[in-house]
Amino acid sequence: MASRVQKAIETAQLAVVADKNHEFDKAVRLYADAIALIEAEKGNFSLKYQESLSKYALAYQSRIGVLQQQIAARASHPQPKKSFREPVFEVAFTDTQPNLAAIGRIEAHPSDPSQHTFWLMRRLITTITDSGGGFLTHRLHIPNQVWTLPGARITAIANKVACCECVLTHIARLHEITFHDTPRFINGLNQFLSDASLHQNSLSKYLSFIDEDVIPPEPGKGMKFSDRLRQMGNSISKTASRLGTIPTRVANSDRYVQLLSNVFQESQAIGVWLMQCDAKGENLANVKERLQRVSLFLSNVVMAFVLNDLAVMLEQYLRKSRQSFTRIAP
């Protein structure tokens, strides 16, 4: 049962990739295979999850109809070959060059593992805010255009925006509390972690590389049968959500990228507070423990989806750069 569901997920993911690459015939075939797997398997679940799986099967069937129309349009209106085409610049070639002198000024990787996330955020800020982009490492340069190129396919962008806004809201609230007012500061961190857990679980339904934030059973106690059933139901629900996850083409990613830049900037306060806890020793052990959990959330959730989206944007940037170059080549 589980193997068929997993196979449906993998097939649907391959269909989305083919769809994104305009391999419409292949996408239609894969969407159809995913539908067949869903139909063969859904009878093994409760009515609630049968309805959920049926909804995604209908969504794939609808997409097949759209693709078949596009395939027919291609066949009836083939693109004529031209000896010369006016260049269409999807990626602009400008005089803005990477600042090679900046390579020598790259901040060294911190020796403290707890500061790694905040160091990486500082490196990413330069790639967004500098007109010439920035260096993540001595060999990897990210052009600024990568972040602003329209049409990137981003999965669950609404959930990611909500997560970023949550981070900014709670860091702003923590700034309003005196760091030395330990009880209030801990209460603010507890609220931050509670909301962070909700966003992590929401994102885990759509992004396979983000784990659900599961609260472990108390020491010495096993998991109750009702808890096992609930966990299985959540797993099926997550599977159904991923089956229906199709990356959204974002016409303008400015708001999302600006939010990321703000999160990178404001999250530096978490790193500073962690260093202050180290300086004061055991007096702030409870604060440090919670700050470390916030840091872990920023690393395992926020940076995880940011780096995944950056990889998608880089792939698109390189593809459109090649297309733009070939159009101006003699």
Side-chain angles (χ1 to χ4, degrees):
M1 180 174 70
S3 61
R4 283 190 179 181
V5 171
Q6 184 61 36
K7 181 64 176 176
I9 294 173
E10 295 171 355
T11 303
Q13 291 172 340
L14 292 173
V16 170
V17 172
D19 195 344
K20 179 174 68 174
N21 293 332
H22 302 286
E23 299 173 351
F24 297 149
D25 291 309
K26 181 179 179 181
V28 166
R29 185 177 71 256
L30 289 169
Y31 280 130
D33 290 345
I35 292 171
L37 288 166
I38 292 172
E39 293 298 332
E41 192 59 37
K42 71 178 184 180
N44 295 315
F45 298 110
S46 66
L47 289 176
K48 175 182 176 182
Y49 295 114
Q50 285 185 38
E51 292 175 0
S52 182
L53 290 171
S54 296
K55 180 178 69 174
Y56 298 119
L58 287 173
Y60 289 133
Q61 189 62 54
S62 176
R63 184 59 184 165
I64 286 174
V66 172
L67 293 179
Q68 287 176 334
Q69 291 178 1
Q70 295 186 10
I71 292 170
R74 277 184 175 182
S76 59
H77 299 90
Q79 294 294 323
K81 292 184 178 181
K82 298 181 180 179
S83 58
F84 174 80
R85 290 184 295 175
E86 288 292 330
V88 178
F89 293 96
E90 292 160 330
V91 175
F93 294 97
T94 69
D95 292 332
T96 303
Q97 298 293 329
N99 183 5
L100 299 181
I103 298 179
R105 299 196 300 270
I106 293 179
E107 179 186 356
H109 190 284
S111 57
D112 184 353
S114 68
Q115 295 295 318
H116 170 77
T117 298
F118 310 107
W119 168 82
L120 182 55
M121 286 180 172
R122 291 193 292 274
R123 300 309 319 143
L124 286 171
I125 287 174
T126 64
T127 69
I128 295 174
T129 59
D130 193 313
S131 60
F135 287 90
L136 283 187
T137 69
H138 288 82
R139 294 187 177 184
L140 178 59
H141 177 265
I142 307 296
N144 173 268
Q145 280 183 289
V146 169
W147 296 100
T148 58
L149 204 63
R153 288 183 178 270
I154 300 177
T155 302
I157 186 168
N159 301 70
K160 293 171 181 175
V161 166
C163 180
C164 290
E165 290 175 339
C166 169
V167 171
L168 292 172
T169 297
H170 281 287
I171 292 178
R173 289 175 181 173
L174 290 171
H175 276 299
E176 296 173 357
I177 304 172
T178 304
F179 180 70
H180 301 290
D181 188 351
T182 305
R184 288 186 62 210
F185 201 79
I186 287 178
N187 184 54
L189 287 170
N190 287 339
Q191 292 176 3
F192 191 166
L193 289 168
S194 177
D195 285 350
S197 178
L198 293 176
H199 284 285
Q200 179 173 343
N201 290 338
S202 173
L203 286 163
S204 72
K205 294 179 181 179
Y206 302 97
L207 307 174
S208 60
F209 52 85
I210 292 180
D211 295 326
E212 185 177 2
D213 187 18
V214 179
I215 300 175
E218 295 180 21
K221 294 184 179 181
M223 186 179 290
K224 297 179 181 179
F225 180 70
S226 59
D227 293 333
R228 292 180 184 277
L229 286 177
R230 188 181 301 109
Q231 188 179 67
M232 185 179 73
N234 290 338
S235 177
I236 295 171
S237 177
K238 183 189 298 184
T239 298
S241 296
R242 288 177 182 170
L243 281 171
T245 302
I246 300 177
T248 303
R249 187 180 293 277
V250 181
N252 188 330
S253 60
D254 288 353
R255 183 194 173 206
Y256 177 51
V257 173
Q258 184 59 55
L259 269 175
L260 294 181
S261 180
N262 293 343
V263 167
F264 298 158
Q265 188 66 51
E266 296 302 322
S267 294
Q268 300 305 311
I270 304 295
V272 172
W273 289 327
L274 275 170
M275 289 189 288
Q276 290 178 353
C277 287
D278 288 334
K280 293 185 179 295
E282 295 183 359
N283 292 334
L284 294 174
N286 290 332
V287 173
K288 182 178 179 181
E289 186 270 336
R290 287 163 174 79
L291 285 171
Q292 287 175 330
R293 287 167 59 191
V294 170
S295 176
L296 201 62
F297 167 77
L298 293 173
S299 175
N300 294 345
V301 178
V302 177
M303 293 306 294
F305 69 67
V306 167
L307 294 177
N308 183 77
D309 289 344
L310 179 57
V312 171
M313 293 176 178
L314 272 171
E315 180 184 357
Q316 182 200 24
Y317 176 83
L318 292 172
R319 184 175 67 252
K320 292 198 172 186
S321 293
R322 287 192 295 268
Q323 293 172 352
S324 297
F325 182 78
T326 55
R327 287 190 176 106
I328 63 175

